[in-house]
Amino acid sequence: MKTVLRVFLYLIIFVSVAIVGFVCFIQLRGIPKYEVDKIDYPQVQSDSDLVANGMKIASVQCIVCHRGTDGKLSGRLLQELPPEFGEVHSANITQSKEHGIGKWTDAEIAYLLRTGVKPDGQYLPVYMPKFPHASEYDMKSIIAFLRSATPYVQASEIPKVSSKPSFLTKFLCFVAFKKIPYPTAPIAQPDTTNLVEFGHYLVTGRYDCYPCHSADFKTLNMEFPEKTSGYCGGGNKMITLDGKDRFTANITSDEETGLGRWTLDDFSNAMLHSKNKAGKTLREPMLPYNGMTETEVKSIWAYLQTVPKIKNVVDRKWEQD
Ligand code: HEC
Ligand code: HEC
């Protein structure tokens, strides 16, 4: 009996030491660094079309998170992120050479946006989105926007505040979130006359609807979006600016719990005028997409019809507002 007890005790000590060791390892490892590949990326030759397209993309992809107290993209505390990710501050991405990204080359920006890895090798966790599927044209547009004369990106001297990622974020960077490989060939602009293909691109590339609209940021798969758990089925818990829980809608075409009974007109009204089928105004953090073209709206709608339906009742908590 005594031997059994002793073995049991040793086992407990062994397991405890292993757990403590693992926790220390993850804490000390922190957010990993990666090797930075040399990429061939000529400097973007900007023009007004590129800047306009970049502005349109940035207004729903970058400005929301990076706009600071001075109105420029000087960074801020992202209090709408679930606190389990830690204390997260978006960075100053204005043209300031000291506090922003004024010294970065176009190649360094493209590399970070696609792979998640900064010029010094530092990886940015899930709260900075990656754009591995953006077409070359859209990528150049974002860069042209960052280099443009628009007030958002003029040098702001507000220093960047470092994020304090939680243990969970560090752990997720160990098991799930890793550097995304840089594409081996330039990504062409999708065929805009093929509505489903173009819509797929908009949902997973240009506008990134699926990260918010799938089950959870923790199970996001940015490299292979459709492998994200509960892809487009909603239910992801977001936090409103005044601290309330708000769950994203199921945008698959399930009749009972998704958009199955909506028409293209209903969807268009949601996208362009932020109204849902019942006439309710869609609340933050759903973004206003009023700059979308009719073709974009039609394409997203056509693509959503092809996404596997998910039955998922989402508590929209309308009554609380
Ligand atoms: C969901 C919020 C979010 C969105 C959307 C977002 N970012 Fe970020 N971004 C962050 C956060 C948070 C960090 C800082 C992470 C850290 O350092 O811990 C960051 C960091 C960066 C950095 C690194 C800056 C530095 O000096 O370390 C660049 C460059 C950047 N973002 C550019 C962009 C661009 C361009 C877009 C739009 C295409 C964009 N981001 C969209 C949240 C976001
Ligand atoms: C930052 C997160 C976020 C992003 C990005 C986002 N959404 Fe939403 N969306 C939400 C939230 C949250 C709601 C629920 C709003 C509410 O309950 O008032 C919502 C609601 C909706 C609705 C209303 C559905 C209903 O049943 O009322 C539609 C349609 C929709 N989103 C489509 C999209 C599409 C298409 C995209 C990409 C172009 C997109 N969303 C991008 C967060 C997001």
Side-chain angles (χ1 to χ4, degrees):
M1 187 60 195
K2 268 192 178 157
T3 337
V4 174
L5 267 181
R6 197 174 302 139
V7 168
F8 189 61
L9 194 68
Y10 285 156
L11 203 68
I12 289 183
I13 293 173
F14 176 76
V15 170
S16 314
V17 169
I19 291 176
V20 171
F22 181 70
V23 169
C24 290
F25 165 72
I26 295 291
Q27 283 292 14
L28 288 175
R29 178 181 185 261
I31 307 296
K33 280 196 165 192
Y34 286 93
E35 207 163 303
V36 181
D37 314 298
K38 271 243 155 318
I39 58 163
D40 184 23
Y41 200 89
Q43 197 177 344
V44 174
Q45 300 302 314
S46 187
D47 63 39
S48 54
D49 284 351
L50 276 184
V51 174
N53 187 43
M55 177 74 204
K56 186 171 135 182
I57 298 172
S59 65
V60 287
Q61 291 280 35
C62 324
I63 297 175
V64 268
C65 284
H66 281 278
R67 188 175 187 180
T69 46
D70 58 358
K72 298 178 184 172
L73 304 191
S74 52
R76 67 175 173 91
L77 171 71
L78 296 184
Q79 78 253 43
E80 68 271 41
L81 271 188
E84 65 212 40
F85 288 109
E87 184 189 306
V88 180
H89 298 263
S90 64
N92 181 335
I93 57 165
T94 67
Q95 293 164 4
S96 162
K97 286 199 164 62
E98 192 180 347
H99 300 293
I101 55 170
K103 283 189 187 152
W104 291 38
T105 64
D106 291 355
E108 288 170 339
I109 296 176
Y111 193 79
L112 165 73
L113 293 180
R114 290 199 185 281
T115 65
V117 176
K118 298 210 299 186
D120 60 0
Q122 186 64 56
Y123 175 73
L124 294 185
V126 61
Y127 34 71
M128 164 60 197
K130 323 290 180 288
F131 304 91
H133 308 290
S135 69
E136 215 37 71
Y137 181 78
D138 283 353
M139 182 55 70
K140 283 190 188 147
S141 305
I142 295 171
I143 295 172
F145 159 77
L146 292 170
R147 306 294 197 207
S148 71
T150 25
Y152 285 122
V153 290
Q154 299 318 299
S156 160
E157 304 309 331
I158 297 183
K160 168 171 137 191
V161 182
S162 299
S163 298
K164 297 188 188 75
S166 63
F167 175 78
L168 176 74
T169 300
K170 293 174 189 168
F171 176 71
L172 288 172
C173 287
F174 180 64
V175 291
F177 299 126
K178 310 239 152 112
K179 169 185 171 181
I180 300 176
Y182 192 82
T184 47
I187 302 178
Q189 192 68 348
D191 176 1
T192 52
T193 60
N194 179 334
L195 295 190
V196 173
E197 184 188 322
F198 188 43
H200 172 249
Y201 174 66
L202 299 174
V203 170
T204 58
R206 182 180 290 173
Y207 294 129
D208 256 0
C209 315
Y210 77 95
C212 286
H213 277 284
S214 299
D216 196 317
F217 288 128
K218 292 196 282 299
T219 43
L220 256 188
N221 190 330
M222 293 193 197
E223 191 174 359
F224 305 104
E226 289 86 347
K227 289 193 183 163
T228 294
S229 119
Y231 180 68
C232 292
N236 193 355
K237 184 166 120 183
M238 324 268 298
I239 315 262
T240 62
L241 291 174
D242 54 358
K244 285 187 247 163
D245 292 353
R246 181 157 299 146
F247 296 89
T248 61
N250 180 345
I251 57 168
T252 70
S253 50
D254 182 63
E255 285 77 7
E256 304 301 326
T257 64
L259 305 183
R261 299 213 175 112
W262 286 39
T263 62
L264 170 60
D265 278 347
D266 294 331
F267 182 70
S268 182
N269 208 19
M271 290 292 103
L272 304 178
H273 307 292
S274 300
K275 292 269 184 214
N276 81 354
K277 191 174 167 65
K280 290 202 192 275
T281 300
L282 295 174
R283 302 156 300 178
E284 51 102 359
M286 172 63 187
L287 305 166
Y289 288 95
N290 44 14
M292 269 189 194
T293 64
E294 213 174 294
T295 312
E296 287 180 325
V297 174
K298 268 195 205 152
S299 305
I300 296 180
W301 181 245
Y303 168 65
L304 288 177
Q305 308 308 305
T306 70
V307 170
K309 295 179 190 179
I310 293 180
K311 197 165 276 310
N312 182 26
V313 182
V314 176
D315 180 1
R316 303 289 293 281
K317 299 184 184 246
W318 291 110
E319 67 290 349
Q320 288 185 6
D321 291 87

